[in-house]
Amino acid sequence: MPHDTQALNRTRQCFAGLDSVWVFGYGSLIFKADFPYIERRPARIDHWQRRFWQGSHDHRGTPEAPGRVLTLVEVPGSSCKGMAYRVHPDVFAHLDHREKNGYLRFETAFHFDDGSEVNGLVYIANSDNAAWLGPAPESDIAEHIANSRGPSGPNDEYVLRLAQALRELDETDAHVFAIEAYLHLLAAQTDED
Ligand code: BEZ
């Protein structure tokens, strides 16, 4: 799969006749909603978990030195809490551009806190995309993140803002919080030097 997934995403779903579509944010879409939305609601999707296994060439790193950003991996029985946005279909041109570095749109069920559910779209980067970095120990991932930056800013800012946004959603994410803790340790060590 190419680095730039915009053309692929345009062929994946048909929005003809739809006034609105739900999209699920599990990473930067939770804390950076730089698009118009009709409504937003905390929601969860089942059988997926966050992992910092995707390379970022365009936001938190560069093609020569990719940063590490989130994707979702399938873990049966798990769930992932995030933020669901109901948007006009035109918004996907912006989102496809923003998330063009290996992410494809998939349809899945969103579950709201009141027990209701809707179908919507979520961007996921699979292991067959050109920017995939894959698993590594969380301490190594934190070290990589601490040393990366790109056009959207330092890579560690992404983790720290995400961890804060998850706490505001009352979500505990062991992977994200472990990497956040390692980043604090690394920052404390740097301060000592
Ligand atoms: C999200 O926040 O949902 C998201 C994360 C990575 C890529 C695309 C979307």
Side-chain angles (χ1 to χ4, degrees), residues 24-30 70-71 98-99 103 122-124 158:
F24 182 77
Y26 56 91
S28 60
L29 289 185
I30 301 179
L70 281 180
T71 187
R98 172 174 155 174
E99 311 301 355
Y103 295 88
V122 55
Y123 287 86
I124 298 174
Y158 178 104

Side-chain angles (χ1 to χ4, degrees), residues 19-25 28-42 83-92 94-95 98:
D19 293 333
S20 66
V21 179
W22 284 95
V23 59
F24 182 77
S28 60
L29 289 185
I30 301 179
F31 61 80
K32 187 179 174 197
D34 58 352
F35 51 87
Y37 54 85
I38 300 158
E39 63 177 305
R40 72 174 189 165
R41 297 175 68 180
M83 190 62 78
Y85 299 87
R86 189 160 68 86
V87 300
H88 189 275
D90 288 351
V91 168
F92 283 92
H94 168 74
L95 293 175
R98 172 174 155 174

Side-chain angles (χ1 to χ4, degrees), residues 74-188:
E74 245 178 314
V75 180
S78 68
S79 75
C80 174
K81 179 109 180 254
M83 190 62 78
Y85 299 87
R86 189 160 68 86
V87 300
H88 189 275
D90 288 351
V91 168
F92 283 92
H94 168 74
L95 293 175
D96 288 353
H97 180 263
R98 172 174 155 174
E99 311 301 355
K100 63 184 181 303
N101 199 196
Y103 295 88
L104 293 176
R105 303 185 214 132
F106 291 86
E107 186 169 343
T108 192
F110 300 2
H111 303 273
F112 297 119
D113 292 345
D114 64 4
S116 62
E117 68 175 70
V118 294
N119 269 10
L121 301 179
V122 55
Y123 287 86
I124 298 174
N126 287 331
S127 60
D128 62 355
N129 84 86
W132 176 260
L133 293 176
E138 283 158 345
S139 54
D140 291 2
I141 291 178
E143 203 164 328
H144 182 157
I145 288 172
N147 290 305
S148 300
R149 64 178 303 125
S152 298
N155 204 167
D156 61 354
E157 179 190 61
Y158 178 104
V159 180
L160 302 179
R161 290 186 70 186
L162 172 69
Q164 170 68 21
L166 293 179
R167 287 194 182 92
E168 285 165 15
L169 283 173
D170 276 332
E171 169 75 334
T172 301
D173 186 309
H175 177 70
V176 174
F177 290 173
I179 293 168
E180 180 200 30
Y182 280 121
L183 285 172
H184 287 313
L185 268 179
L186 289 168

